[in-house]
Amino acid sequence: MNCPRDAAELEVKSFGTTPVRTCPVCGGMFLAHGQLNQVAGPIRGDLEFCTVDLDSFQHEDAYGPIACPNDGAAMGKVDFNIETTIILDYCKKCLGFWMDGKELARINEEVKRLNEADAEVPDPLLVRISQFFWNLPLPH
């Protein structure tokens, strides 16, 4: 498999226990279906699903269009998170992602930010218990 940016042969590099095909020249990587969830920082939910769900697949980025290194299909541009400028290439045929250069590091920064924001949200059970006690009549 070759890099869709510079045609260099992709090499296998491990991210934890996940083997990922990476480009030794540009640092890009091809993530097969399910691997984005494995290599990105831990988060509740499915990063892949929330990245492609209801996306238009027509975002602009600095890299331009590419063909999937896995199957040659044209890859669409997906917005990793609407609050960021991280645009990934996504293959609708094999469900894989191409990430350019430093995009994994940017995704991990965003996942960390999301986890911190999630930690600040009170536990829904505690909120309901607090509301219950708040609404009790005061003794006279």
Side-chain angles (χ1 to χ4, degrees):
M1 184 181 295
N2 293 336
C3 175
R5 299 286 182 214
D6 55 39
E9 187 169 339
L10 299 181
E11 300 172 348
V12 176
K13 181 178 177 183
S14 292
F15 289 83
T17 59
T18 306
V20 176
R21 294 181 185 112
T22 62
C23 178
V25 176
C26 71
M29 59 183 66
F30 178 75
L31 301 173
H33 179 63
Q35 287 186 320
L36 178 57
N37 290 317
Q38 295 170 355
V39 300
I43 191 167
R44 289 188 304 161
D46 186 331
L47 288 175
E48 291 187 11
F49 176 77
C50 66
T51 298
V52 299
D53 184 45
L54 303 176
D55 198 282
S56 68
F57 301 97
Q58 298 183 13
H59 302 279
E60 297 291 325
D61 72 357
Y63 300 104
I66 58 171
C68 177
N70 186 50
D71 57 32
M75 297 187 88
K77 301 287 186 179
V78 293
D79 193 353
F80 173 72
N81 182 334
I82 59 171
E83 298 176 8
T84 70
T85 58
I86 304 170
I87 305 296
L88 304 176
D89 296 277
Y90 176 71
C91 180
K92 291 182 184 179
K93 186 174 179 182
C94 73
L95 311 179
F97 289 90
W98 177 261
M99 292 197 306
D100 291 295
K102 306 283 184 201
E103 287 177 335
L104 180 58
R106 292 181 62 209
I107 286 172
N108 283 330
E109 289 172 14
E110 178 63 9
V111 165
K112 180 181 177 189
R113 186 190 71 75
L114 291 170
N115 283 333
E116 289 170 355
D118 189 41
E120 293 174 5
V121 175
D123 178 12
L125 178 61
L126 289 176
V127 170
R128 287 185 301 215
I129 292 170
S130 298
Q131 289 171 340
F132 172 78
F133 285 111
W134 180 260
N135 291 322
L136 285 176
L138 293 173
H140 292 48

